[in-house]
Structure formats: C-alpha cells, structure tokens
Amino acid sequence: MADGGWDVEQSVELARRLKATGVDVMDVSSGGSVPYAKIPVGPGYQVPFAEAIRTRAEIATAGVGMITDPAQAETILTTEQADFVVLARELLRDPYWPRRAAKALGTKISPPVQYQRAW
C-alpha cells in the first residue's frame, strides 16, 4: 500500500517461517502505519491478503477489514478465504453483533451468565 513497503510475498514468507516455529494462526492486516499509504478501503478489503497467506503459506488466517454484515462474515468462512473473522470497529459500534449475527444466520447462541435474565 506504500512504495517500498512490505508486500504480500514477504508476508507469505514470514507466515511460512512462523508456522515452522509453531505459530498456528495469522491475524492478517495490511497495516497502514505510514501516513502516505494508499489503502483502498471497502467491505472486506483486507480479506484477500488473508486468503493469499492461507493458501500459499498453508497456515490458518484471520480476516479483517470492514467486516460488518453476518452474511459477509459467513461467506468469508464458507468460501475458505479465512479460517476466522475478526471484528474490531463493528463491535465498538454494535456490542451485540454476535447476537444479531446468530439471529440473522438462524443460529441459537447462549448468553453470558450475567445476561441470562435479560436475554
């Protein structure tokens, strides 16, 4: 995302090396730690990086990047673009996202013990 910056090929190689040391999963993000990075932001914009590392380094990955919709998260998992999805800002906006997602996907979840009376 920045000239002279780290690229997906280097990330694949790093993932291979980390896997050899016993790392089980990579949380994949392209960062954006320099102000001049040109990041094309959109739904699931980081997921292709997770998929590339998952496929080429043969390590489990967590996909990130504007994952906001339950169906979107489910698609990422069922199409094996990533093994996990990680929600950040979306959980700050909607701390009940897991409950809403379960309902939207037709899955029943149990509440934390302290929420059972109000569930």
Side-chain angles (χ1 to χ4, degrees):
M1 308 274 183
D3 289 337
W6 192 263
D7 64 24
V8 74
E9 294 304 322
Q10 291 168 306
S11 296
V12 168
E13 180 58 29
L14 175 63
R16 287 179 180 139
R17 291 178 185 206
L18 291 172
K19 181 180 177 183
T21 69
V23 170
D24 295 321
V25 64
M26 300 282 296
D27 179 357
V28 180
S29 172
S30 64
S33 57
V34 294
Y36 53 87
K38 293 177 176 61
I39 302 172
V41 177
Y45 71 102
Q46 304 276 19
V47 174
F49 300 116
E51 183 175 21
I53 291 168
R54 181 184 190 276
T55 302
R56 295 178 9 217
E58 298 179 344
I59 190 170
T61 60
V64 304
M66 290 186 68
I67 299 169
T68 60
D69 181 74
Q72 174 195 20
E74 184 74 2
T75 298
I76 292 166
L77 297 172
T78 59
T79 60
E80 299 182 347
Q81 294 172 286
D83 301 283
F84 305 91
V85 293
V86 177
L87 308 174
R89 291 178 184 94
E90 188 60 19
L91 287 177
L92 293 173
R93 285 188 287 270
D94 180 4
Y96 294 100
W97 192 94
R99 183 179 184 186
R100 185 172 55 80
K103 185 176 182 180
L105 298 171
T107 301
K108 185 175 176 142
I109 61 172
S110 299
V113 173
Q114 63 270 34
Y115 290 174
Q116 286 178 352
R117 289 180 292 176
W119 199 255

